[in-house]
Amino acid sequence: MADPLSARPISKRDQNVLAFLRAHIALHGHAPTVVEISDGVGVSTRTVAKAVRSLSHRGLVKRHPRRPRGLEITTGTGAPVKAPHPLVEQLAKTRVGRGIPTREIAAQLDVRTSTVNNYELGLRQPTPQRLEQWAGALGLRITLTPTNLTEKS
């Protein structure tokens, strides 16, 4: 008999958790904590736990309960994740290299910590003004100019 859970489409919540998990692993080289997923996706830790159970039951995620950060993606299915903006990658590397917490940058940008996480993971794209603010918060100065603009005749 077929499992009724695996026959249903993956919920938007589960897709978001899986996308965040995939992007975090790609950016940091290790799985996020439940709290990091909660902050990044913007849901409670209890909701994250439910999503991880659902993804695990479907075979999309493997849990290692005795290991810290014990989540592993087991298949290539799930929500697509865009690569972060190249400038965002540099800003994130600078932030991490200087040991500046995400919440500190979020406070200086006047946004939620999850917003900065989503920028760094490629789940959201910051505006050019936000990129300039972010660089300023790190003590960097950047000037963004439009490129590859074409006029329609």
Side-chain angles (χ1 to χ4, degrees):
M1 188 166 134
D3 180 13
L5 179 61
S6 61
R8 292 189 308 217
I10 298 174
S11 71
K12 187 70 172 167
R13 175 200 68 197
D14 291 359
Q15 287 178 15
N16 289 340
V17 168
L18 185 61
F20 183 88
L21 180 62
R22 181 177 289 121
H24 189 281
I25 291 170
L27 183 64
H28 299 284
H30 57 78
T33 64
V34 171
V35 172
E36 288 171 334
I37 297 171
S38 172
D39 289 344
V41 178
V43 297
S44 71
T45 55
R46 186 175 183 161
T47 301
V48 171
K50 287 179 184 177
V52 169
R53 270 195 306 274
S54 172
L55 292 168
S56 176
H57 189 71
R58 290 173 180 273
L60 299 173
V61 170
K62 184 174 182 180
R63 292 187 293 175
H64 303 280
R66 299 197 200 292
R67 277 190 2 210
R69 300 177 181 271
L71 294 175
E72 175 184 11
I73 297 174
T74 57
T75 69
T77 62
V81 177
K82 292 187 274 183
H85 187 283
L87 186 53
V88 169
E89 284 185 32
Q90 285 303 114
L91 293 171
K93 285 179 184 177
T94 301
R95 179 190 65 73
V96 170
R98 293 182 181 177
I100 300 170
T102 309
R103 67 180 174 277
E104 189 176 312
I105 296 298
Q108 291 187 32
L109 298 180
D110 196 27
V111 298
R112 296 180 62 184
T113 302
S114 62
T115 301
V116 175
N117 283 332
N118 287 338
Y119 290 156
E120 291 185 358
L121 297 171
L123 299 173
R124 291 183 65 185
Q125 297 297 320
T127 63
Q129 295 81 12
R130 185 72 71 204
L131 287 170
E132 288 176 344
Q133 281 181 313
W134 192 349
L138 292 170
L140 304 172
R141 184 179 169 148
I142 60 170
T143 305
L144 300 175
T145 57
T147 58
N148 299 330
L149 295 179
T150 57
E151 259 184 49
K152 291 185 179 182
S153 305

